[in-house]
Amino acid sequence: MAVFVALGAFLMTLLGGWTAQRVTDRRHLVLGLAGGLMLGVVGLDLLPEALEAAGDEIFGVPAALLLFVAGFLLAHLVERLLAVRQAAHGAEENNGRTPQVGLTAAAAMVGHSAMDGVAIGAAFQIGEGMGIAVALAVIAHDFADGFNTYTLTSVYGNARRRALAMLFADAAAPVVGAASTLLFTIPEGPLGCYLGFFGGALLYLAAAEILPEAHHEHPAHSTLLCTIGGAAFIWLVVGVAE
């Protein structure tokens, strides 16, 4: 049942990526919306789940928040190191963007989607009602995952075929994750720490890369409205899921 339900996440992820491709003539709106969706996913979905799952504190600070900061800093460090390395080898960047950063970010999205599938499988182990509730939440926000995976890969100058490959990997990841729960389960604490770490990295990409790029060439009110709308959409999804 968990694997079957995860197929809905597969289709929703592909729909999100398809949408990102079709609106390339409004790239600034795509990026503005992606930034809002990413902000909403981090602040309204990932962090609350991480804090609830990883309740332990380290020197007075929740472990999930420490890893959130670590994820943010690591994303910044990786981007800087890749940029310096590429510049040192004389390679040209795509408008100052390093393709490897986009692939790394998309790979993190794939990992997150796999954990979504694990969450579906674990919830079904608790009970069918719990499993369906978690599955609906995952399927609803997997549209944003597919949208963001394709956008993150392509905005850093990767070829369309690479963006599509990462999109399909992200779509398949929840199914693989759900199937894996037939073999093992992940303790709640480490899962919460992972969510916090991933949330920090995702927030860095949204705040330091995606949103500035969205407003660089087209500083329009419509872009800002797309960002607000993306965050509000995730709020709606989380509220309905609850």
Side-chain angles (χ1 to χ4, degrees), residues 161-179:
R161 61 180 177 80
R162 285 189 176 182
L164 288 175
M166 296 308 297
L167 173 62
F168 276 98
D170 188 52
V175 180
V176 175

Side-chain angles (χ1 to χ4, degrees), residues 64-229:
L65 287 183
L66 285 176
L67 285 166
F68 173 80
V69 174
F72 188 98
L73 293 175
L74 182 62
H76 176 59
L77 177 63
V78 167
E79 185 190 34
R80 290 298 89 209
L81 288 177
L82 287 174
V84 170
R85 179 174 177 271
Q86 185 159 326
H89 285 77
E92 294 183 358
E93 292 179 296
N94 182 64
N95 295 324
R97 305 297 176 189
T98 322
Q100 292 93 329
V101 173
L103 290 176
T104 301
M109 293 294 295
V110 173
H112 166 61
S113 294
M115 297 308 295
D116 280 345
V118 171
I120 292 176
F124 269 102
Q125 290 179 3
I126 297 173
E128 186 172 330
M130 175 67 73
I132 292 175
V134 171
L136 288 176
V138 169
I139 290 171
H141 85 249
D142 270 353
F143 175 86
D145 282 355
F147 190 99
N148 289 335
T149 298
Y150 185 88
T151 302
L152 283 169
T153 309
S154 59
V155 77
Y156 280 91
N158 289 285
R160 182 173 180 270
R161 61 180 177 80
R162 285 189 176 182
L164 288 175
M166 296 308 297
L167 173 62
F168 276 98
D170 188 52
V175 180
V176 175
S180 72
T181 59
L182 300 176
L183 304 175
F184 64 90
T185 58
I186 297 180
E188 188 177 27
L191 178 59
C193 290
Y194 167 78
L195 292 176
F197 182 83
F198 173 70
L202 197 62
L203 181 63
Y204 173 82
L205 293 172
E209 298 295 331
I210 300 300
L211 290 178
E213 180 75 10
H215 291 277
H216 177 62
E217 296 181 359
H218 299 277
H221 293 303
S222 56
T223 305
L224 179 60
L225 290 176
C226 283
T227 302
I228 296 172

Side-chain angles (χ1 to χ4, degrees), residues 15-85:
L15 178 61
W18 178 84
T19 302
Q21 294 180 66
R22 299 295 294 180
V23 292
T24 51
D25 59 328
R26 293 289 185 268
R27 184 168 174 270
H28 59 291
L29 299 181
V30 172
L31 293 175
L33 178 61
L37 290 171
M38 293 163 73
L39 175 62
V41 167
V42 171
L44 306 177
D45 188 14
L46 289 180
L47 269 184
E49 288 186 20
L51 288 170
E52 182 177 353
D56 295 337
E57 291 189 354
I58 300 176
F59 204 62
V61 178
L65 287 183
L66 285 176
L67 285 166
F68 173 80
V69 174
F72 188 98
L73 293 175
L74 182 62
H76 176 59
L77 177 63
V78 167
E79 185 190 34
R80 290 298 89 209
L81 288 177
L82 287 174
V84 170
R85 179 174 177 271

